[in-house]
């Protein structure tokens, strides 16, 4: 098989790039290890920054997002028994975010790829990357007993944190930065009316909690749990009881509970791999970086990589200008690190740390007190949450 761009991974990063390139006539193939159903069964993030929503529209995939997604102009931080609102619209100079599930967004991208006869190949096994530093890279994979070879100009590693692409960069070249947090988030999806029309991030001595939503009939809630907890040990009832305890009284009284449709525990991690380019391989999304979900940056950081990569590819194929490709790693990483900083800060401010000392808790109190007493601090939070410019 021959193509211009071989994209490894059919998650949101890979599919979005595939769709954008296709619309500009740049031939590409997506290789995905799992089935489409499996990819679409993963419940992940749900907050899209303005620039990401624009990119979805440019990819001709914004119709359902615009119809069913909700525009949110603010969210709440609950602490010390009270609720303070962050007015995103006011403090970001008129911007907002779109609440639309990653699962739905991925479904829209798959449907668009199918509609346009895009090549998305599922169930590929043993994907291997070859000759990345030469002029003629290629990728091989196994399909049953057959080994298939894909010759291409460029390889995109959009295969998530556990993918093969990042591991194909030699150890001496790659530098990894990581922080693992001593807790996870237990998440529940339930077909119930959300407790609040806007998200509530709650700091509580028993641990952090988040009230989020997918629509006005579908709620997503999280509580911080120790890493040793097992999801099977958490009954729905125990989850709702614990969530109630961590919310201000007036909120917990309104909470409508129901059977969980999905329940899982995700560990929290900060991770960056540098550089994001090696020869003709370009990393994007979770393959290169992970953030704890507290700042809603994960999916959005993937989208900014795709924005830079897409424009770099347009420069190369349409204008013969390689400066975008040459500058990709530095440009993407500059924004990635800002998302890391913001996610780390939100995480540190709102979670309960098992080994914290009184001094640390006083600083957390002060961080929140400063935030809600300073317009400059609110502006800083808001501009990061709605997404820094690309
Ligand atoms: N070969 C082919 N495909 C692979 C391989 C491999 N060796 N390894 C992983 N994949 C596939 C996975 O099955 C998955 O569908 O790559 C895809 C990667 O998708 P995601 O993990 O969703 O990563 P990405 O597309 O970068 O999405 C951005 O940011 O914070 C997160 O929740 C957010 O998942 C979202 C991510
Ligand atoms: C979610 O709805 O899944 C969600 C929302 C905001 C976050 C993290 C997760 O910060």
């Amino acid at each position: 098989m021959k193509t211009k761009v071989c994209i490894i991974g059919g998650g949101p990063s890979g599919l979005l790039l595939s769709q954008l390139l296709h619309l500009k006539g740049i031939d590409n193939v997506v290789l995905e290890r799992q089935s489409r159903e499996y990819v679409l069964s993963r419940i992940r993030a749900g907050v899209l920054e303005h620039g990401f929503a624009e990119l979805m529209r440019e990819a001709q995939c914004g119709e359902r997002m615009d119809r069913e997604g909700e525009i949110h102009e603010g969210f709440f931080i609950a602490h010390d028994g009270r609720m303070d609102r962050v007015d995103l619209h006011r403090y970001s100079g008129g911007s907002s975010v779109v609440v639309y599930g990653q699962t739905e967004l991925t479904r829209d991208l798959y449907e668009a790829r199918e509609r346009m006869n895009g090549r998305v190949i599922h169930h590929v096994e043993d994907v291997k990357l070859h000759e990345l530093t030469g002029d003629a890279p290629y990728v091989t994979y196994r399909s049953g007993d057959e080994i298939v070879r894909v010759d291409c100009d460029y390889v995109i590693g959009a295969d998530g944190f556990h993918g093969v692409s990042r591991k194909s960069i030699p150890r001496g070249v790659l530098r990894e930065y990581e922080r693992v947090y001593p807790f996870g988030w237990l998440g529940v999806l339930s077909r119930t009316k959300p407790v609040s029309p806007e998200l509530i991030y709650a700091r509580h001595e028993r641990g952090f909690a988040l009230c989020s939503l997918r629509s006005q009939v579908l709620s997503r809630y999280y509580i911080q749990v120790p890493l040793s907890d097992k999801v099977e040990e958490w009954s729905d009832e125990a989850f709702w009881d614990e969530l109630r305890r961590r919310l201000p009284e007036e909120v917990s009284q309104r909470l409508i509970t129901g059977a969980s449709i999905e329940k899982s525990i995700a560990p929290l991690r900060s991770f960056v791999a540098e550089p994001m380019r090696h020869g003709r391989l370009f990393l994007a999304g979770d393959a290169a970086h992970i953030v704890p979900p507290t700042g809603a940056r994960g999916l959005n950081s993937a989208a900014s990589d795709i924005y830079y990569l897409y424009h770099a590819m347009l420069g190369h194929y349409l204008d013969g200008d390689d400066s975008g490709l040459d500058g990709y790693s530095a440009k993407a990483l500059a924004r990635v690190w800002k998302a890391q900083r913001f996610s780390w800060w939100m995480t540190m401010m709102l979670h309960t740390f098992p080994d914290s000392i009184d001094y640390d808790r006083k600083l957390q109190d002060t961080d929140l007190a400063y935030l809600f007493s300073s317009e400059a601090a609110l502006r800083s939070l808001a501009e990061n949450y709605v997404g820094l410019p690309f």
Side-chain angles (χ1 to χ4, degrees):
M1 202 188 308
K2 227 179 152 38
T3 189
K4 288 197 162 74
V5 184
C6 181
I7 300 171
I8 303 170
S13 301
L15 293 170
L16 179 58
L17 182 65
S18 170
Q19 176 69 6
L20 288 163
L21 293 178
H22 179 107
L23 289 171
K24 296 288 183 187
I26 300 169
D27 189 64
N28 66 83
V29 177
V30 176
L31 304 180
E32 167 58 51
R33 186 165 57 178
Q34 306 286 353
S35 68
R36 174 168 164 167
E37 294 68 39
Y38 181 91
V39 175
L40 290 177
S41 69
R42 294 188 291 224
I43 309 289
R44 293 231 178 122
V47 175
L48 315 184
E49 58 188 45
H50 177 76
F52 188 3
E54 278 297 309
L55 205 55
M56 283 293 284
R57 293 182 193 111
E58 185 168 346
Q60 298 182 10
C61 292
E63 201 188 306
R64 197 161 68 96
M65 174 191 78
D66 284 330
R67 203 170 55 241
E68 296 177 12
E70 288 186 12
I71 293 179
H72 282 221
E73 296 188 345
F75 64 82
F76 293 95
I77 295 183
H79 61 104
D80 306 301
R82 54 186 277 206
M83 297 256 279
D84 279 316
R85 183 166 184 267
V86 176
D87 189 334
L88 289 174
H89 191 258
R90 174 168 171 201
Y91 292 116
S92 70
S95 196
S96 55
V97 292
V98 180
V99 171
Y100 189 63
Q102 178 176 328
T103 311
E104 301 311 311
L105 175 140
T106 311
R107 191 187 307 280
D108 296 343
L109 287 165
Y110 267 121
E111 282 173 7
R113 294 291 44 229
E114 198 165 69
R115 210 166 51 238
M116 297 180 185
N117 294 317
R119 280 189 289 176
V120 181
I121 304 169
H122 287 278
H123 307 293
V124 299
E125 291 176 69
D126 298 339
V127 168
K128 291 195 179 93
L129 288 61
H130 309 266
E131 303 290 337
L132 294 171
T133 49
D135 287 342
Y138 65 97
V139 175
T140 54
Y141 66 88
R142 191 167 58 75
S143 170
D145 291 336
E146 193 193 356
I147 300 288
V148 182
R149 170 173 169 150
V150 185
D151 288 285
C152 55
D153 299 338
Y154 296 105
V155 181
I156 308 299
D159 48 354
F161 183 65
H162 300 287
V164 64
S165 301
R166 187 181 66 251
K167 293 174 192 141
S168 307
I169 300 179
R171 283 201 171 276
V173 175
L174 198 70
R175 176 114 198 243
E176 298 184 339
Y177 302 84
E178 183 171 41
R179 170 185 286 272
V180 177
Y181 300 85
F183 42 72
W185 280 16
L186 167 63
V188 158
L189 188 70
S190 72
R191 227 175 279 292
T192 49
K193 185 175 158 54
V195 70
S196 160
E198 291 184 338
L199 272 64
I200 302 174
Y201 290 81
R203 175 178 175 229
H204 192 277
E205 61 197 16
R206 294 183 67 90
F208 169 80
L210 170 61
C211 307
S212 182
L213 59 142
R214 292 291 175 271
S215 72
Q216 286 308 316
V217 292
L218 196 55
S219 299
R220 181 71 167 158
Y221 296 105
Y222 298 94
I223 55 172
Q224 172 190 346
V225 293
L227 277 175
S228 51
D229 277 18
K230 302 270 170 295
V231 68
E232 310 78 56
E233 294 161 1
W234 277 95
S235 67
D236 286 0
E237 243 158 49
F239 176 86
W240 295 122
D241 286 345
E242 187 57 33
L243 176 64
R244 261 193 225 100
R245 283 193 199 108
R246 297 183 188 187
L247 299 174
E249 176 94 32
E250 48 120 357
V251 180
S252 60
Q253 278 176 358
R254 289 190 265 126
L255 182 70
I256 300 172
T257 63
S260 62
I261 325 173
E262 194 264 2
K263 197 192 287 166
S264 52
I265 294 181
L268 267 68
R269 181 197 302 272
S270 295
F271 173 85
V272 181
E274 292 188 356
M276 286 173 65
R277 173 192 189 170
H278 177 62
R280 287 179 174 251
L281 167 67
F282 293 82
L283 299 180
D286 277 18
H289 43 78
I290 299 282
V291 284
T294 327
R297 296 297 84 204
L299 182 58
N300 291 303
S301 294
S304 73
D305 293 349
I306 297 306
Y307 177 89
Y308 295 134
L309 209 41
Y310 167 53
H311 285 277
M313 290 282 167
L314 292 188
H316 172 79
Y317 284 109
L318 305 186
D319 303 324
D321 172 6
D322 279 355
S323 59
L325 289 177
D326 293 339
Y328 169 72
S329 180
K331 202 166 182 177
L333 282 166
R335 195 175 190 276
V336 158
W337 274 110
K338 288 175 191 154
Q340 291 282 327
R341 185 204 69 82
F342 179 66
S343 306
W344 165 85
W345 172 70
M346 287 279 280
T347 303
M348 297 304 283
M349 179 169 70
L350 296 174
H351 288 76
T352 299
F353 285 76
D355 56 353
S356 72
I357 53 175
D358 289 348
Y359 180 86
D360 300 332
R361 283 188 290 277
K362 278 286 184 190
L363 278 189
Q364 284 181 312
D365 294 342
T366 308
D367 229 343
L368 279 166
Y370 172 58
L371 177 64
F372 290 109
S373 66
S374 158
E375 191 171 317
L378 282 165
R379 281 191 192 286
S380 169
L381 192 169
E383 78 164 349
N384 279 279
Y385 196 90
V386 301
L388 295 170
F390 287 150

